[in-house]
Amino acid sequence: MRKFIVFLALALVIVFSKTSYASDQIEDLNKKENIKQSETQERPTSEQDSETEDNEVDEESEEVEAEETEENEDLVDEQPISYEIHPNARPVPVLMFHDVGYIGVKSFSDANFIFKDNLERKLKILIKNGYTTITSKDLYDNWIYGKELPEKPVLLSFDDGYASHFSYVQRMFTRLDIKATFYIIQDRLFMDMPGRDLKGLRDLVESGQEIGVHTYSHKDFTDLTYDEIYQEVATCKNFLEEELGTKLDTFSYPYGNYNDAAIQVLKDLGFRTAVTTREGLGRPDQFEADNVLKISRYNIFNSTTDQQFQKMIDGLK
């Protein structure tokens, strides 16, 4: 009996030990399973963090690329001014206009006036024939740097800064999506003429049109000295740049006349282009030197027929 009791006690100890061991094993397995579940739950967060970091890197790369693109675009403007024509420079028809009006009576030369409906009709000829209006900057970038132009480019220029330019011409161009260069005479802005003032000029700039310099008082350069020409040009350039808050580097010669002194003044003041009243297609190879400062234009009279106009823009006149 005593042996049986001892045997039973030993058996209970063994069973208890195995049960305890098994319990420990199960607990260990549960702990391992909890750890695995915890890691599984945490893994997406880590992947999400990694994805977030990748997105941040991509955004930073895009920002750097955008900054580099802006810097590259700025480099064109920051390059030293050159007057050497690029081999890829193309001829461009440059059209010259002056005042634009509604009425059929005008007291001064036909060369200085075109009716509003006549102007709009000619602009629609450009559009119908697939022409794209460009600015003097576009022309310079092609003639000097070889930058590509539209298939059929045309440059519109308006001299003197009339009230009509600041009002219905501006509205017409906005409606038709037309660009042009407007050359301003400084003292004409202060003649107490309705609409022909700084406010009208600022409105023109805000509409996206290009502004150029046309001297302080429109004196003929033919018999002026370097200093006199410099005064006329620099005064207007500095005034307009200060009032408009933008750099101006295109010029129109009063009466279309220039001399060696005038060319040197423009170079010294940092002008890139200048237009004359010489009749003809704007050609980059017309002269031996300084072609961008001697650009020819077609003068559009009110009497210019649509057929004549078509020949001008096609470079056939």
Side-chain angles (χ1 to χ4, degrees):
M1 184 66 180
R2 184 178 296 172
K3 289 181 179 180
F4 175 76
I5 294 172
V6 171
F7 175 78
L8 183 59
L10 289 172
L12 290 172
V13 169
I14 291 171
V15 171
F16 178 78
S17 298
K18 289 184 176 180
T19 302
S20 177
Y21 176 78
S23 178
D24 291 341
Q25 291 295 316
I26 292 172
E27 186 177 351
D28 289 341
L29 289 174
N30 288 337
K31 288 182 178 179
K32 291 180 179 178
E33 185 65 24
N34 290 336
I35 291 173
K36 288 182 179 179
Q37 291 178 355
S38 177
E39 290 177 349
T40 302
Q41 293 173 352
E42 291 177 357
R43 187 172 297 116
T45 303
S46 299
E47 292 175 354
Q48 185 176 359
D49 291 343
S50 177
E51 184 178 350
T52 301
E53 291 176 359
D54 291 341
N55 290 337
E56 290 177 352
V57 171
D58 291 340
E59 290 176 359
E60 290 177 359
S61 299
E62 292 175 358
E63 289 177 359
V64 170
E65 290 177 0
E67 290 175 358
E68 289 177 350
T69 300
E70 291 178 359
E71 290 175 358
N72 290 335
E73 291 176 350
D74 291 340
L75 285 178
V76 175
D77 291 332
E78 293 174 359
Q79 288 181 12
I81 295 176
S82 173
Y83 301 103
E84 296 296 325
I85 298 299
H86 192 278
N88 295 335
R90 293 172 51 190
V92 175
V94 184
L95 311 182
M96 175 174 57
F97 301 88
H98 286 81
D99 199 4
V100 181
Y102 284 100
I103 59 176
V105 178
K106 197 69 178 178
S107 60
F108 50 80
S109 170
D110 188 30
N112 291 330
F113 184 78
I114 184 171
F115 299 146
K116 177 178 175 290
D117 59 347
N118 191 358
L119 172 62
E120 181 160 352
R121 186 173 66 252
K122 286 178 168 50
L123 294 178
K124 289 182 177 178
I125 290 175
L126 296 178
I127 296 170
K128 180 180 179 181
N129 285 272
Y131 281 88
T132 302
T133 54
I134 66 173
T135 64
S136 68
K137 181 183 184 303
D138 297 325
L139 183 145
Y140 179 86
D141 287 346
N142 172 256
W143 283 19
I144 302 302
Y145 303 132
K147 186 175 178 180
E148 188 175 352
L149 286 173
E151 181 180 355
K152 300 174 77 171
V154 61
L155 175 55
L156 309 183
S157 61
F158 286 73
D159 284 11
D160 301 347
Y162 290 94
S164 61
H165 301 170
F166 305 157
S167 53
Y168 41 86
V169 172
Q170 173 203 324
R171 294 192 293 272
M172 182 192 303
F173 281 17
T174 299
R175 173 165 49 86
L176 298 176
D177 193 22
I178 295 289
K179 292 189 293 187
T181 304
F182 294 81
Y183 292 100
I184 307 301
I185 304 171
Q186 180 179 341
D187 71 353
R188 305 292 170 86
L189 296 173
F190 303 96
M191 298 176 66
D192 294 327
M193 297 180 65
R196 195 175 189 179
D197 51 27
L198 277 173
K199 182 185 181 305
L201 177 58
R202 293 191 184 102
D203 290 343
L204 188 65
V205 173
E206 290 177 3
S207 72
Q209 301 301 329
E210 183 181 49
I211 303 302
V213 177
H214 201 23
T215 72
Y216 172 77
S217 62
H218 206 262
K219 291 180 179 178
D220 190 336
F221 285 175
T222 304
D223 297 320
L224 298 185
T225 65
Y226 173 94
D227 290 340
E228 291 170 330
I229 296 172
Y230 190 97
Q231 182 70 20
E232 275 283 314
V233 179
T235 299
C236 181
K237 177 177 170 40
N238 294 338
F239 171 79
L240 292 176
E241 288 182 339
E242 182 176 350
E243 291 294 331
L244 302 178
T246 185
K247 180 180 178 182
L248 305 183
D249 55 16
T250 185
F251 184 80
S252 177
Y253 299 103
Y255 308 103
N257 297 329
Y258 62 88
N259 51 27
D260 291 342
I263 296 291
Q264 191 58 53
V265 166
L266 297 191
K267 288 183 176 181
D268 292 344
L269 288 172
F271 283 92
R272 295 174 184 262
T273 59
V275 293
T276 70
T277 57
R278 183 183 294 101
E279 185 79 9
L281 181 67
R283 293 184 8 237
D285 60 352
Q286 187 168 1
F287 304 97
E288 292 184 1
D290 302 326
N291 281 277
V292 287
L293 298 179
K294 304 173 182 177
I295 302 170
S296 297
R297 295 188 286 179
Y298 289 118
N299 197 354
I300 309 301
F301 299 85
N302 191 60
S303 60
T304 301
T305 67
D306 292 348
Q307 292 74 23
Q308 291 172 326
F309 183 77
Q310 184 72 57
K311 288 183 178 180
M312 291 175 179
I313 60 178
D314 290 341
L316 301 177
K317 183 178 182 301

